[in-house]
């Protein structure tokens, strides 16, 4: 099996147990796997920002004053330089199959954080323009790793890239989401990166306004 | 027989019309993805309608599997299915995805208008130097190759003055109105060659292309590029020179061979330059399948320094004890007394670090060193007298009057080609044509022996042909 990231061939070590039970082949080689940094230790219980003590961070206190639509965000990985390269190749270059790098970790982090299966997954949509450019929605690809029902309940109106904006710009922007399918049950929004939380808050506000009782978020990376 | 792998480029269409356009020199010979075309949507549509641009599928599907037409990749695990935005399940090539994704539904846009008319330059070469008889011999063969659109291996020793030897052939090609590409695997070589060639050919439009270069190809007649850049070209060049053809990554990457073969026009001249051809080139040369010209002597007329072998069986044991192998230590002291400047090649980055620490913070460079360029310049400017390096400096760099040591020369990274190139770093200036080259080893390898034989062989050939 060749590593999904570096394409080096992995030669599994032969030990006594190999004789009895064939080993599960790993998608990623050990050298590459060690570069991913899974979020651990104390973090803000609302937005998963790494903290010294597990208390609500200053950003989330500000969020609570403005909008309380999004109850909580759970992220899988830390945003290190390695992750930047991986996301760039996956999302911007469009190497679709790289979602396989995260799949196992997505499933285990998700089941740990959301033990109940009573929710719909709503991936954050791309604008039509952006979708045509990339050919796939990375948020949907993440949601498809999980075995909860997926509803594409939102559509996105404007098309400016969040990653090209400053924090102040992001905070000032207007809600780009429209609910095309109201959901009356708990929802878990799915996206690739949580940076300021602006996008997810907008999506949550839109859903709550249309009668959704509880909105949480699951993101791959905590920026 | 580097291009003999079965590669068919019949999918590249010939000109459909004799209509030309001001865009022809910019657009011809390239594999364009619609998103990268330097045209507006209306202009593109107009050119397609007139038959000047033609769509061609970018990924081909054969009975034996798929092939990416940009990089030639046929490996199944690197051409994978995915739910494409077009609504179908397409396949895409993972191998060249950094240049933009190629999916089954992707098309290239290829120029099918009239071939651009490249300028016929009269007396383009402004260089006034004199070639040595050996260089002249090589240059004449290159001119012949340009005229009869053939192939040629120029097997020239390190320091033969290969660039100057190209000038008459380049001048001839430019006089005939040909488009030229000088490709090399290494971007530092591209950067070094651009100013020299621009000086020699001041009125020719030359573009230097490598990952992150400032130049872009706006339809330049003469392109100096890394072999990776060829992934963008198809049937573009009338003359191609591949410098350092045996160097990493070109020699081991089939993608680059595929791209180079595709970049040539159907009738074109192809010239390989190297001091150390690998087996396949040597074999085609010996079998007389590939015309070959030897340039066995350096431009200054002195023989190549022949490496000495010095045993250093304590190499492995002494580094962990923070000591130098005894023979190497003695040699280094001697060089210090003689005030000679020294370059030391080591097999691994780790050993470079260890050695630098033992030598009290000596300067070392390796491929991942961000200050590589600065350090090499310091050594060239004689600000430091000792430089430790991995094989990255084995070729393409010239330092006047230095001595050369190789530590653990029997290590696997030092193959025959590397050792010949390393030995070729010494004695490159006419003012100081002799240099001391020592391979320190703990048991000599056959690569070391073959490298020494190859060097002696070239010296013998030079002596014989001079008479």
């Amino acid at each position: 099996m060749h590593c999904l990231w570096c394409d080096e061939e992995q030669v599994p070590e032969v030990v006594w147990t190999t004789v009895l039970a064939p080993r599960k082949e790993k998608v990623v080689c050990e050298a590459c796997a060690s570069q991913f940094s899974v979020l651990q230790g104390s973090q803000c219980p609302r937005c998963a920002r790494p903290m010294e003590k597990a208390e609500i961070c200053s950003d989330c206190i500000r969020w609570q004053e403005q909008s309380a639509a999004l109850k909580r965000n759970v992220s899988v990985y830390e945003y290190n330089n390695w992750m930047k390269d991986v996301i760039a190749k996956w999302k911007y270059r469009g190497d679709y199959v790289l979602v396989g790098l995260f799949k196992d970790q997505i499933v285990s982090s998700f089941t740990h954080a959301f033990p109940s299966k009573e929710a719909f997954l709503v991936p954050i949509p791309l604008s039509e323009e952006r979708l045509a450019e990339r050919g796939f929605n990375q948020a949907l690809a993440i949601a498809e790793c999980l075995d909860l029902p997926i509803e594409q309940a939102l559509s996105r109106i404007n098309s400016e890239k969040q990653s090209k904006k400053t924090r102040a710009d992001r905070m000032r922007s207007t809600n780009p989401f429209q609910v095309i399918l109201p959901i009356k049950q708990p929802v878990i929004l799915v996206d690739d990166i949580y940076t300021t939380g602006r996008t997810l808050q907008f999506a949550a506000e839109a859903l709550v306004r249309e009668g959704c009782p509880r909105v949480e978020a699951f993101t791959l990376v905590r920026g | 027989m580097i291009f003999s792998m079965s590669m068919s480029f019949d999918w590249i269409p010939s000109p459909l019309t004799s209509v030309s356009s001001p865009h022809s020199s910019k657009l011809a010979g390239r594999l364009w993805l619609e998103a990268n075309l330097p045209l507006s949507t209306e202009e593109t549509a107009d050119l397609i309608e007139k038959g000047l641009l033609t769509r061609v599928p970018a990924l081909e599907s054969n009975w034996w599997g798929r092939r990416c037409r940009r990089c030639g990749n046929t490996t199944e695990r690197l051409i994978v299915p995915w739910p494409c935005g077009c609504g179908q399940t397409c396949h895409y090539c993972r191998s060249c995805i950094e240049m933009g994704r190629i999916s089954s539904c992707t098309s290239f846009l290829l120029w099918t208008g009239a071939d651009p008319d490249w300028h016929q330059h009269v007396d383009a070469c402004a260089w006034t130097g004199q070639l040595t008889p050996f260089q002249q011999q090589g240059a004449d063969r290159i001119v012949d190759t340009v005229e009869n659109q053939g192939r040629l291996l120029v097997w020239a020793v390190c320091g033969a003055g290969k660039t100057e030897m190209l000038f008459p052939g380049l001048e001839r090609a430019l006089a005939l109105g040909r488009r030229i590409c000088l490709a090399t695997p290494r971007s530092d070589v591209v950067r070094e060659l651009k100013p020299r060639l621009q000086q020699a050919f001041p009125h020719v439009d030359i573009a230097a292309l490598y990952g992150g270069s400032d130049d872009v190809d706006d339809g330049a007649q003469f392109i100096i590029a890394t072999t990776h850049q060829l992934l963008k070209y198809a049937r573009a060049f009338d003359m191609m020179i591949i410098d350092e053809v045996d160097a990493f990554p070109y020699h081991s990457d089939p993608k680059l061979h595929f791209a180079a073969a595709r970049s040539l026009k159907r009738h074109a001249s192809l010239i390989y330059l190297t001091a150390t051809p690998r087996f396949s080139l040597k074999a085609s040369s010996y079998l007389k399948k590939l015309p070959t010209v030897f340039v066995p002597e350096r431009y200054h007329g002195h023989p190549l320094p022949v490496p000495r072998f010095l045993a250093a069986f304590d190499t492995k044991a002494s580094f962990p004890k923070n000591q130098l192998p005894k023979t190497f230590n003695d040699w280094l002291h001697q060089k210090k007394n003689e005030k000679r400047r020294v370059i030391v090649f080591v097999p691994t980055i780790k050993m470079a670090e260890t050695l630098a620490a033992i030598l009290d913070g000596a300067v070392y460079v390796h491929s991942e060193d961000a200050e590589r360029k600065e350090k090499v310049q310091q050594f060239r400017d004689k600000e430091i007298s000792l430089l430790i390096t991995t094989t990255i400096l084995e070729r393409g760099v010239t330092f006047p009057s230095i001595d050369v040591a190789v530590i653990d020369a029997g290590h696997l990274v030092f193959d025959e080609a590397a050792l010949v190139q390393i030995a070729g770093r010494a004695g490159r200036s006419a003012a100081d044509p002799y240099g001391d080259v020592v391979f320190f080893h703990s048991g000599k390898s056959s690569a070391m022996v073959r490298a020494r034989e190859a060097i002696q062989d070239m010296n013998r050939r030079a002596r014989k042909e001079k008479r």
Side-chain angles (χ1 to χ4, degrees), chain B residues 28-222:
Chain B
R30 294 278 297 264
L31 295 174
W32 292 105
L33 292 176
E34 198 148 358
N36 306 337
L37 265 178
L39 300 172
S40 67
T41 335
E42 296 81 42
E43 280 177 301
T44 310
D46 182 49
L47 290 176
I48 293 174
E49 196 182 323
K50 287 185 184 146
L52 295 177
L53 283 174
T54 302
R55 283 184 196 280
V56 172
L59 197 75
E60 64 184 34
S61 186
N62 300 302
W63 59 268
W64 45 261
R66 292 180 176 79
R67 166 149 64 192
C68 171
R69 287 176 166 170
R70 180 166 60 195
C71 70
N73 168 32
T74 54
T75 309
E76 239 182 298
R77 69 165 188 284
L78 296 177
I79 301 183
V80 292
W82 76 300
C84 182
C86 73
Q88 308 279 319
T89 299
C90 285
H91 281 70
Y92 73 93
C93 173
R94 294 193 63 212
S95 179
C96 58
I97 195 158
E98 291 293 341
M99 304 175 68
R101 184 179 49 217
I102 280 181
S103 196
S104 321
C105 59
T106 309
S107 304
F108 292 129
L109 283 169
L110 299 182
W111 178 255
T112 42
D115 279 337
D117 257 331
W118 298 103
H119 187 64
Q120 302 189 358
H121 297 264
V122 183
D123 292 332
C125 186
W127 187 69
T128 52
Q130 189 70 39
L131 294 176
T132 66
F134 277 115
Q135 280 178 318
Q136 191 62 52
Q137 222 173 45
D140 291 346
R141 289 290 297 280
I142 294 171
V143 172
D144 287 348
T145 311
V146 169
E147 281 169 358
N148 57 35
Q149 312 241 344
R151 300 197 308 158
L152 181 70
L153 167 64
V154 180
W155 189 336
V157 294
C158 304
K162 281 183 287 235
T163 311
E164 287 75 17
M165 211 163 20
L166 289 172
F167 290 166
L170 292 173
E171 189 176 34
R172 186 79 194 109
L174 289 166
L176 292 167
R178 302 238 169 109
R179 195 178 195 199
I180 305 170
C181 175
L182 201 172
T184 165
R186 305 169 54 114
S187 60
D188 14 319
V189 178
V190 176
R191 281 190 290 267
E192 199 200 287
L193 286 177
K194 164 83 195 277
R196 285 171 70 189
L197 287 162
Q198 191 67 75
Q199 208 175 16
F201 297 92
H203 302 297
V204 179
D205 189 5
I206 305 181
L209 309 175
Y210 50 89
S213 62
D214 298 330
D215 288 11
V216 285
D217 176 12
D218 280 327
Q221 185 168 2
F222 188 170

Side-chain angles (χ1 to χ4, degrees), chain A residues 147-184:
Chain A
D147 70 348
L148 256 66
I150 298 171
E151 279 304 347
Q152 307 218 34
L154 296 167
S155 80
R156 191 179 199 132
I157 306 153
N158 86 340
S159 62
E160 285 170 77
K161 280 185 188 164
Q162 287 284 317
S163 58
K164 293 275 149 73
K165 292 188 206 160
T166 63
R167 185 185 167 92
D169 285 343
R170 289 183 181 206
M171 290 306 167
R172 247 181 275 120
S173 51
T174 50
N175 195 334
F177 297 107
Q178 246 178 3
V179 178
I180 46 178
L181 186 100
I183 299 178
K184 310 287 181 202

Side-chain angles (χ1 to χ4, degrees), chain B residues 81-378:
Chain B
W82 76 300
C84 182
C86 73
Q88 308 279 319
T89 299
C90 285
H91 281 70
Y92 73 93
C93 173
R94 294 193 63 212
S95 179
C96 58
I97 195 158
E98 291 293 341
M99 304 175 68
R101 184 179 49 217
I102 280 181
S103 196
S104 321
C105 59
T106 309
S107 304
F108 292 129
L109 283 169
L110 299 182
W111 178 255
T112 42
D115 279 337
D117 257 331
W118 298 103
H119 187 64
Q120 302 189 358
H121 297 264
V122 183
D123 292 332
C125 186
W127 187 69
T128 52
Q130 189 70 39
L131 294 176
T132 66
F134 277 115
Q135 280 178 318
Q136 191 62 52
Q137 222 173 45
D140 291 346
R141 289 290 297 280
I142 294 171
V143 172
D144 287 348
T145 311
V146 169
E147 281 169 358
N148 57 35
Q149 312 241 344
R151 300 197 308 158
L152 181 70
L153 167 64
V154 180
W155 189 336
V157 294
C158 304
K162 281 183 287 235
T163 311
E164 287 75 17
M165 211 163 20
L166 289 172
F167 290 166
L170 292 173
E171 189 176 34
R172 186 79 194 109
L174 289 166
L176 292 167
R178 302 238 169 109
R179 195 178 195 199
I180 305 170
C181 175
L182 201 172
T184 165
R186 305 169 54 114
S187 60
D188 14 319
V189 178
V190 176
R191 281 190 290 267
E192 199 200 287
L193 286 177
K194 164 83 195 277
R196 285 171 70 189
L197 287 162
Q198 191 67 75
Q199 208 175 16
F201 297 92
H203 302 297
V204 179
D205 189 5
I206 305 181
L209 309 175
Y210 50 89
S213 62
D214 298 330
D215 288 11
V216 285
D217 176 12
D218 280 327
Q221 185 168 2
F222 188 170
I223 280 168
I224 310 170
T226 52
T227 41
H228 265 103
Q229 296 294 318
L230 300 178
L231 289 166
K232 299 177 190 162
Y233 290 89
R235 297 265 194 257
F237 302 108
D238 303 286
M239 176 188 189
M240 168 115 67
I241 301 153
I242 305 184
D243 192 10
E244 308 279 13
V245 62
D246 62 303
F248 177 84
Y250 183 79
H251 83 88
S252 57
D253 191 344
K255 266 196 299 206
L256 302 178
H257 291 257
F258 180 84
R262 184 191 56 217
S263 306
L264 283 176
K265 287 198 181 154
R266 279 194 185 81
H267 301 286
S269 32
L270 175 60
I271 292 156
Y272 301 114
L273 290 184
T274 176
T276 47
R278 305 233 167 213
F279 178 78
S280 63
L281 273 189
K282 264 194 222 169
S284 13
S285 167
Y286 288 139
L287 295 170
K288 308 236 184 275
K289 282 199 167 172
L290 179 63
T292 305
V293 59
F294 288 94
V295 185
E297 193 183 68
R298 293 186 146 179
Y299 75 96
H300 55 49
H302 295 278
L304 295 163
V306 177
R308 296 189 287 144
F309 296 171
L310 285 181
F313 292 107
D314 51 348
T315 306
K316 244 195 198 116
S318 44
F319 281 116
K321 286 188 280 180
N322 259 349
Q323 283 172 3
L324 294 176
K326 192 176 171 306
T327 38
F328 175 65
N329 195 22
D330 294 347
W331 183 82
L332 212 54
H333 271 290
Q334 189 196 338
K335 295 296 158 193
K336 215 176 211 169
N337 294 338
E338 293 170 2
K339 298 219 158 40
R340 295 283 296 176
R341 288 168 352 108
V342 171
I343 187 162
V344 181
F345 286 86
V346 293
T348 58
I349 298 178
K350 200 163 165 264
M351 195 186 277
E353 282 166 5
T354 323
L355 187 58
I358 300 174
L359 288 171
D360 269 342
V363 180
Y364 68 96
V365 292
H366 55 82
S367 55
E368 279 146 45
D369 191 341
E371 292 166 49
R372 173 172 152 193
K373 249 190 259 176
E374 290 77 24
K375 287 174 177 175
V376 169
Q377 197 53 47
Q378 275 180 3

